[in-house]
């Protein structure tokens, strides 16, 4: 596959998706947004952080592999674990203690919109869609300021028994606290020394401390649920934030209640528009019971499309009982394109989905159930469009209009990504998933699924990495829906 061909395909795809976007009437995006307090760690700051602790105690805590942040040592341990492998991680904190400690001992560089739903709502509004309806159950006055102030970005406002759509800045819930996450971004080659152990960070990545205060509930206000028709017309829904669900709550309710409510919302959305397509965007979910419940009770059988990164594919396979496959994905990770492909096919089948879109650094894999109304070329255009969005976001740290999105076309397609696909080609031809020429297009035809694989654009020195996966998944899903609407309009 020649890289110039893929550059041209990116360009053609950008313009024909841009033409299709106005066919969309509306997109619904829920649940999680927060304020991201971003700290880019330098070696000086890291050693200052380590200096607050006994290094032997840090090492001991590393070995316990804390799955939530109960005290500063848990935070320090998970930061070192994340840096050592250069692997992104998101760890919940159920009290504000760590927030206070970090404010006092570290501070942050700048604050930005965070949370899949928050990031995605803003992105879609900037892409000049007709209407984006965001729904954040915990929309505080401060949080509302992080949403784009534009006529095409709305939020349900409950007034007595009625619900109207207003700008988020006029729809917040007075008096509630903001959810603030801390993001520690670190750079490749940063040297780390602790308790006599020395290592170099292998890759740019980040650790997210996800604040999960006691009052937080992943649930829809009763009035909004009862007036869900006030969101119409919408063509698609992008849902995320289920990782907020806890096993037990102080009032005796359990995760089962919130899973059941989440399914009710999805089923009601589908009853309002039978053509509606629903996408769930995953993130790292430390609690395995919750991870499994989200996949088997909410995603499976209720949702059409799933977006996730390579680590999340491995973690999903693990709780679904495919330990072997999960390990082969995580072990080779970015290079294990064959395992990633097989893993994504397994998720499509286990969760009865129409579509599984995996994003990895340098290539994307999209598995499709047979009979989808779009051709593989149309799906490929949607993926290529999202690759340009990702490039723009990584290059400039933001996308605030379609022209800024178009800037992503200047970023080169990843040679490494193309190489990975080349290596995978032999497997595909050998398994008769495609002919040599079909492999040039990136199309695969399985016995019970099809697939599209593309090399994606990668920025050498990204300005920001948080939220690029959200942009990839939301961009591709939205582009796909737009093309479906355009096709239905006979254009
Ligand atoms: N420098 C970069 N250039 C282009 N794409 C990138 C770059 N860094 C990361 N990405 C893309 O962003 C994705 C990260 O997605 P994910 O891990 O889901 O993060 P998040 O959920 O924070 O958006 C990677 O899989 C890759 O496709
Ligand atoms: O799980 P939470 O607390 O909603 O946090 C999600 C985190 O993931 C991101 O949305 C990136 O995908 C961050 O902006 C945010 O801090
Ligand atoms: Mg992600």
């Amino acid at each position: 596959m020649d890289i110039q061909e893929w550059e041209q395909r990116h360009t053609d795809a950008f313009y024909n998706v841009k033409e299709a976007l106005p066919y969309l009437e509306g997109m619904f995006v829920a649940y999680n947004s927060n304020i991201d307090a971003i700290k880019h760690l330098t070696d000086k700051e890291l050693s200052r952080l380590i200096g607050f602790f006994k290094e032997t105690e840090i090492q001991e805590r590393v070995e316990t592999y804390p799955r939530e942040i109960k005290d500063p040592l848990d935070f320090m341990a998970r930061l070192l674990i994340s840096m050592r492998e250069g692997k992104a991680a998101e760890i919940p904190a159920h009290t504000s203690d760590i927030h206070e400690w970090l404010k006092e001992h570290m501070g942050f560089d700048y604050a930005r919109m965070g949370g899949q739903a928050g990031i995605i709502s803003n992105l879609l509004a900037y892409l000049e869609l007709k209407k984006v309806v965001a729904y954040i159950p915990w929309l505080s006055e401060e949080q509302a300021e992080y949403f784009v102030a534009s006529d095409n970005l709305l939020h349900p406002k409950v007034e007595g028994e009625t619900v109207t759509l207003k700008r988020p800045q006029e729809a917040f819930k007075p008096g509630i606290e903001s959810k603030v996450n801390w993001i520690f971004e670190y750079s490749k080659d940063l040297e780390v020394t602790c308790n006599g152990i020395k290592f170099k960070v292998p890759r740019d990545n980040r650790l997210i401390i996800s604040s999960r205060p006691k009052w937080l509930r992943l649930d829809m206000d009763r009035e909004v649920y009862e007036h869900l028709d006030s969101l119409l017309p919408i063509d698609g829904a992008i849902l995320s934030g289920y990782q907020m669900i806890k096993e037990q709550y102080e009032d005796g309710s359990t995760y089962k209640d919130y899973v059941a409510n989440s399914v009710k919302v999805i089923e009601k959305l589908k009853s309002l528009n039978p053509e509606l397509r629903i996408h769930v965007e995953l993130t790292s979910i430390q609690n395995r019971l919750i991870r499994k419940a989200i996949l088997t009770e909410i995603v499976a059988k209720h949702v059409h499309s799933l977006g996730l990164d390579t680590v999340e594919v491995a973690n999903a396979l693990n709780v679904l009982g495919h330990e072997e496959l999960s390990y082969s994905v995580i072990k080779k990770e970015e290079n294990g394109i064959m395992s990633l492909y097989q893993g994504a096919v397994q998720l499509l089948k286990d969760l009865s989905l129409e579509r599984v879109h995996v994003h990895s650094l340098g290539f994307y894999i999209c598995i499709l159930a047979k009979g989808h109304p779009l051709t593989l070329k149309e799906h490929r255009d949607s993926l290529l469009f999202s690759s340009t969005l990702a490039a723009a976001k990584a290059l400039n740290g933001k996308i605030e209009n379609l022209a800024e999105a178009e800037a992503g076309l200047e970023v080169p397609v990843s040679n490494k990504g193309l190489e990975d696909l080349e290596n995978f080609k032999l497997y595909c031809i050998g398994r008769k998933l495609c002919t040599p020429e079909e492999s040039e297009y990136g199309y695969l035809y399985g016995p019970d699924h099809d697939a599209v694989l593309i090399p994606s654009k990668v920025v050498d020195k990204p300005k920001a990495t948080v939220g690029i996966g959200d942009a990839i998944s939301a961009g591709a899903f939205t582009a796909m829906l737009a093309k479906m609407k355009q096709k239905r309009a006979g254009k």
Side-chain angles (χ1 to χ4, degrees), residues 206 309 359-361 364 390 394 457-459 462 466-470 472:
R206 84 283 175 163
D309 70 15
H359 45 269
S360 177
L361 190 63
Y364 306 160
K457 289 173 174 282
V458 173
V459 171
V466 167
I468 302 183
D470 301 336
I472 293 167

Side-chain angles (χ1 to χ4, degrees), residues 322-371:
H322 309 288
E323 286 80 1
E324 252 336 83
L325 192 47
S326 167
Y327 179 69
S328 69
V329 169
I330 205 75
K331 179 166 58 75
K332 287 178 275 182
E333 206 180 353
E334 312 282 3
N335 314 325
I337 188 164
M338 184 181 73
S339 313
L340 206 52
Y341 171 79
Q342 291 168 340
V345 172
Q346 194 63 53
L347 292 180
L348 184 96
K349 287 180 191 161
D350 286 8
L351 305 176
S352 318
L353 292 165
E354 267 184 17
R355 177 180 183 270
V356 174
H357 175 189
V358 180
H359 45 269
S360 177
L361 190 63
F363 62 83
Y364 306 160
I365 297 176
C366 188
I367 311 292
L368 296 152
K370 293 285 189 188

Side-chain angles (χ1 to χ4, degrees), residues 49-327:
L49 255 183
I50 293 173
F52 289 124
F53 307 92
K54 274 213 195 96
E55 297 195 11
T56 46
E57 287 177 3
I58 296 177
Q59 187 51 39
E60 278 156 28
R61 190 60 65 88
V62 164
E63 277 141 32
T64 69
Y65 197 77
R67 281 183 178 273
E68 65 172 280
I69 306 293
K70 293 201 188 72
D71 62 23
L73 255 179
D74 283 338
F75 154 69
M76 197 62 234
R78 285 307 302 254
L79 179 61
L80 289 181
I81 291 167
S82 173
M83 288 176 136
R84 189 174 55 199
E85 292 145 38
K87 232 167 78 187
E90 178 187 330
I91 320 294
H94 295 291
T95 69
S96 58
D97 301 356
I98 191 65
H99 176 62
E100 298 310 324
W101 189 87
L102 287 167
K103 252 191 330 189
E104 202 184 310
H105 293 77
M106 177 52 59
F108 56 88
D109 303 334
Y110 61 96
R112 199 185 49 199
M113 169 63 89
Q116 284 85 356
I119 291 171
I120 290 169
S121 307
N122 280 350
L123 171 74
L124 298 186
Y126 281 133
L127 291 180
E128 299 159 26
L129 295 192
K130 269 198 202 96
K131 180 177 78 175
V132 181
V133 179
Y135 176 66
I136 313 293
W138 50 83
L139 184 68
S140 69
E141 184 165 7
E142 185 188 17
Q143 175 74 67
E145 294 310 315
Y146 285 79
F147 283 90
V148 191
S150 81
D151 293 338
N152 67 338
L153 177 50
L154 301 167
H155 190 289
K157 167 93 178 159
V158 178
E159 283 161 320
E161 275 305 307
T162 59
V163 172
T164 48
L165 293 181
K166 298 212 187 296
R167 287 187 175 194
Q169 295 79 6
E170 297 140 50
F172 59 84
K173 282 180 183 162
I176 68 165
E177 276 171 66
S178 296
K179 175 181 172 0
V180 179
N181 288 356
W182 286 74
I183 309 242
F184 288 89
E185 297 199 327
Y186 50 79
S187 302
K188 186 171 181 300
D189 298 335
L190 178 65
E191 292 208 347
V192 184
T193 310
C194 180
N195 198 32
I197 297 168
K198 206 176 162 99
F199 62 85
K200 253 190 186 180
V201 170
R203 168 180 351 174
D204 290 3
N205 226 316
R206 84 283 175 163
L207 174 75
I208 295 175
I209 310 293
S210 164
S211 76
R212 310 274 170 91
K214 284 198 176 354
W215 47 265
L216 201 73
R217 294 290 181 274
L218 198 285
D219 211 355
M220 180 175 274
D221 295 304
R222 179 184 57 76
E223 302 84 350
V224 173
Y225 178 78
E226 279 162 11
H227 296 81
L228 217 43
D229 51 340
S230 64
L231 310 181
L232 296 180
I234 51 166
D235 305 296
I238 300 176
L239 306 177
S240 59
Y242 295 115
Q243 64 274 17
M244 234 54 70
I245 296 173
K246 289 197 309 185
E247 287 186 48
Q248 307 281 342
Y249 292 87
E250 293 67 37
D251 63 5
S253 59
T254 73
Y255 73 96
K256 292 193 171 89
D257 302 300
Y258 291 93
V259 165
N261 290 353
S262 301
V263 168
K264 274 169 55 186
V265 168
I266 288 172
E267 288 308 320
K268 183 159 185 183
L269 284 169
K270 291 197 290 191
S271 71
L272 292 172
N273 170 6
E275 298 291 321
L276 187 79
R277 287 291 200 289
I278 299 187
H279 173 91
V280 162
E281 186 61 18
L282 274 190
T283 187
S284 87
I285 304 163
Q286 292 294 320
N287 182 310
R288 293 166 50 81
L289 181 142
I290 299 298
R291 191 191 309 158
K292 182 169 183 180
I294 292 168
L295 291 166
T296 57
E297 306 303 321
I298 300 178
V299 173
K301 302 185 197 64
H302 301 291
V303 157
H304 304 95
S305 173
L306 182 66
L308 65 181
D309 70 15
T310 53
V311 173
E312 290 149 12
V313 169
N315 293 344
L317 291 168
N318 192 283
V319 293
L320 293 173
H322 309 288
E323 286 80 1
E324 252 336 83
L325 192 47
S326 167
Y327 179 69

